[in-house]
Amino acid sequence: MAAMKPRTGDGPLEVVEEGRSIIMRVPLEGGGRLVVEIAASEAVSLRDALQGVIKE
């Protein structure tokens, strides 16, 4: 029987480069984190899409 690991804190938004991929960990409301693996070209597309909606 596999051991159940308790959830640690949500933690901050985190982005790291691992090999040729970029790993993004996004804390979710209610606990846990969404982990997304994207390529550099996808990260550029994400940045461009976010800049279109961010109002400073």
Side-chain angles (χ1 to χ4, degrees):
M1 182 172 182
M4 295 291 289
K5 294 182 180 178
R7 286 188 186 219
T8 57
D10 293 334
L13 173 68
E14 180 182 8
V15 180
V16 295
E17 189 173 3
E18 292 184 6
R20 289 192 248 165
S21 296
I22 295 171
I23 309 297
M24 180 172 57
R25 294 176 180 92
V26 182
L28 298 174
E29 192 172 310
R33 290 168 36 148
L34 172 67
V35 180
V36 181
E37 179 178 358
I38 58 178
S41 60
E42 295 169 320
V44 171
S45 296
L46 176 61
R47 179 196 64 199
D48 295 342
L50 289 172
Q51 284 180 337
V53 297
I54 296 172
K55 295 175 178 51
E56 293 185 41

